Amino acid sequence: MDFIKGLNDKQKEAVYYGDGPLLILAGAGSGKTRVLTHRIAYLIEERGVFPGNILAITFTNKAANEMKGRVGKLLHGKAEDVWMGTFHSICVRILRMFINRLGYDRNFIIYDTDDQKTLVKECIKEKNLNKDTYKEKSIISIISSQKNLMLTPDAYINENYGDFYCRNVGEIYAFYQEKLKKNNALDFDDLILKTIELLKKDKDALEYCQKKFKYIFVDEYQDTNKAQYVLIRLLSGKYKNVCVVGDDDQSIYGWRGADIRNILDFEKDFPNTKIIKLEQNYRSTKNILDVANSIIKNNRERKDKKLWTTNGEGTPTTIYTAFDEMDEGNFVADKIRSLVDTGEYNLSDFAILYRTNAQSRAFEEVFMRKDIPYRIVGGLKFYARKEVKDIIAYLRLIQNPADDVSLRRIINIPKRGIGLSTIAKIEKYIAQTGESIYSALLDVEDIPGLSQRAITNLKSFTEMINKFIAMKEVMELKDFIEEVVYSTGYIKELEEEDNIESTSRIENIKEFISVAVDYETHSEEATLEDFLATVSLLSDVDKTEKNGDTVTLMTVHSAKGLEYPVVFVVGMEEGLFPIRRALDGGSDELEEERRLCYVAVTRAQKLLYITFATVRTIYGNTSYSIPSSFLKEIPEELVIRDDKKRKFTAEPKEQKWRSKAQGVVVKEYKKGNTVLKKMLENRNVERDKKNKFIENKSKIKIGSKVKHKMWGIGTVVQLKEKEGDMEILVAFPEKGLKKLLLSVAPVEVI
């Protein structure tokens, strides 16, 4: 069989390479999978290598299955004995043979995330630690990261001995490992660690594996972590016939433990390495590749290579300057519609790539309005995300305390000691009385069978909701929603989890606040009732599943390995892409952001659009934006500038508003710029509520005159300390007596 048919010269060289370590630097769209599979087939068919002596490791089951299918097709089913799979599946096969030598039974079980949570919860309880301080998710994340770094519990404790919290986490880690072994169980990280432990401790097992795997292949080598690297070194120790395929320019998972040094230092780790560069791209136009090359060449920590193609020049990249995120969304939607109308493209040909999940919201809302079907890859649609639905449930309950559905959803979110048995007793009671749950809770002592602890917790809950009900009458919508989000403890609980998932959820909640900002900007009178009605309509549209031809929305991380005829890379602003923490961190983080940008650009086959907004409301904060520094790295001859954003007729007159997020001054515009002016007025720097409260508290006494923005001037007739706040009773000449909380009420002592 001709294994080099259709391959270019560099691909042929890689397929026909003999023995010894081989590093294939495969640029984006260069046909790396084809090379890898053809080399495996060549070794079996032409070199006579027994299939069972070949090990091929991938990162996903999908990639492993694709590789098996391609090799099987080339060899007409002769590759069944090849060991192909993910790092974890390969390790399971090895451990099933030898794990008894580590004191485990061969029938060990593998714990999933839920099992891990249960076990960690047991550890926390048995260690008599505060479950509110030591969160299962956070601890599991720490344990996983330590295992990927190959750090034992003792090593972690010694490294953090001066930190009381971390020392206790280390103790939980140690106890957790003891329990795993007692249960004859391993978690996913253990699969690799225990295999390494086995190979280091047992010479027979090591010799068996090294003799068996004469040829080792590793795909996406730039994504390997320390443990995976050590495993490959051990398995390849005898023959050194290790072939790794990867692209250092696409190393984008440093945040989850991937170490780019593994691929950058490969020839140091494996002397006499042959390096073959696959630089011919089969995916994109020359213009798109020139844009990608111009960006990535600015990284210092990389192997020199430059993608090229015979696909043709192509269309210049369009860079669009949007007014705000909604203008950005409208530009993308209108461009998609116009291109589809040409008959050349389907909706499925389009991908919108953003840096953070929260950015999907603006595009979703625009697409809903314009009736463009879309799908979210790697996550739920914005209004279907748990954290967003939770906050909406709080707001619905505050607006309508008779809403039992919303109350049931959030009564114990975040956890406040109101368990299922308590809820069952309440449900039984209201079934007899016919009243709403909230109504029953107002007289909670009347509900039979409740413990004193449950009564106390329920009282605390109703007092909080009552406080919110009072607040919504006197606070602006955005400020009120922020108060709910933070005062419930929802954000605090997520912050304590301190992992990637919780960070993303916090971003989504803050983006929901942006929904309120946008609503306030475009509404004459922004009431909670009307806001919830608007959100409900959006949520209902969200529930409608649209099949078939749809636009794809996803983060750049989710787009790795994919390609689309037309790609929009959106939100290209400093502090967003590259993300803020990369700007504040070292050069390593900024270089990873640049690699991420490179990955985004190289997903495009025919057309590439890059957008940024002049003004952006994200995470509830509105600020002037600065174009991403990566855009400055693209030569002007490669792009078309589209600056047809909303024009303003007046010159800025006064530097009045300052963004905390970016430290950039935003100017107030004269009449003619009413949208921007109103937005910026509504989004002035948040008032220092605490200082204002302290100031008012020191001045106020019975008989003090206060000015309320709605009710005018009134007289304080009563003062009452309430949960660290001060409740004042004010007599207004025309409005009567009003109870106000001093920390939130819009009053001024005069």
Side-chain angles (χ1 to χ4, degrees), residues 353-460:
L353 309 183
Y354 36 75
R355 180 62 181 83
T356 65
N357 272 306
Q359 288 170 259
S360 76
R361 192 269 307 177
F363 295 97
E364 290 186 66
E365 292 191 10
V366 170
F367 285 8
M368 288 173 194
R369 286 202 305 270
K370 295 180 179 284
D371 198 28
I372 297 176
Y374 68 92
R375 67 187 184 108
I376 303 283
V377 173
L380 293 168
K381 293 183 176 181
F382 184 79
Y383 289 101
R385 294 167 190 169
K386 178 185 181 301
E387 56 276 11
V388 175
K389 293 176 76 171
D390 287 344
I391 300 305
I392 290 172
Y394 267 109
L395 298 178
R396 284 174 174 165
L397 178 65
I398 293 162
Q399 179 61 33
N400 175 23
D403 182 357
D404 285 352
V405 172
S406 294
L407 186 145
R408 287 188 184 97
R409 181 179 183 95
I410 51 83
I411 192 170
N412 200 41
I413 297 176
K415 292 177 182 176
R416 48 177 65 93
I418 302 172
L420 294 176
S421 63
T422 297
I423 295 169
K425 290 170 184 174
I426 298 167
E427 296 275 12
K428 184 179 179 181
Y429 177 75
I430 65 168
Q432 297 170 347
T433 64
E435 58 188 318
S436 69
I437 297 175
Y438 194 77
S439 175
L441 294 182
L442 294 175
D443 296 308
V444 68
E445 288 93 346
D446 295 342
I447 302 174
L450 296 180
S451 67
Q452 189 55 52
R453 181 172 176 269
I455 290 171
T456 301
N457 292 338
L458 289 165
K459 276 187 175 181
S460 177

Side-chain angles (χ1 to χ4, degrees), residues 320-324 327 613-614 642-648:
Y320 178 72
T321 307
F323 165 61
D324 60 10
D327 183 30
T614 304
D642 188 345
D643 296 322
K644 297 175 184 175
K645 65 180 188 317
R646 192 173 310 181
K647 298 294 190 243
F648 302 103

Side-chain angles (χ1 to χ4, degrees), residues 628-679:
S628 171
S629 53
F630 299 152
L631 297 182
K632 298 175 185 176
E633 299 169 354
I634 305 172
E636 283 297 318
E637 62 266 21
L638 298 178
V639 303
I640 297 172
R641 296 275 178 178
D642 188 345
D643 296 322
K644 297 175 184 175
K645 65 180 188 317
R646 192 173 310 181
K647 298 294 190 243
F648 302 103
T649 59
E651 293 297 318
K653 70 171 184 178
E654 183 184 359
Q655 294 185 341
K656 180 171 184 177
W657 186 89
R658 184 172 298 274
S659 164
K660 284 184 178 179
Q662 298 184 11
V664 178
V665 173
V666 178
K667 299 176 175 72
E668 179 184 353
Y669 288 82
K670 297 178 183 177
K671 191 176 180 182
N673 314 323
T674 55
V675 175
L676 177 61
K677 184 176 179 180
K678 188 172 181 182
M679 179 183 289

Side-chain angles (χ1 to χ4, degrees), residues 62 90 116 149 164 174 198 228 277 297 324 333 343 401 439 455 485 502 530 552 562 626 628 643 658 686-687 695 740:
K62 182 182 176 183
I90 296 298
Q116 287 180 277
L149 292 169
F164 181 75
L198 170 73
Q228 292 160 342
K277 298 178 183 179
K297 72 179 183 181
D324 60 10
S439 175
I455 290 171
V485 164
S502 63
D530 290 342
T552 299
L562 304 176
I626 300 173
S628 171
D643 296 322
R658 184 172 298 274
E686 292 183 9
R687 301 182 185 98
E695 182 184 343
L740 304 170

Side-chain angles (χ1 to χ4, degrees), residues 8-19:
N8 63 42
D9 290 343
K10 287 294 181 181
Q11 290 174 329
K12 293 174 186 175
E13 185 182 359
V15 170
Y16 280 160
Y17 179 70
D19 292 349

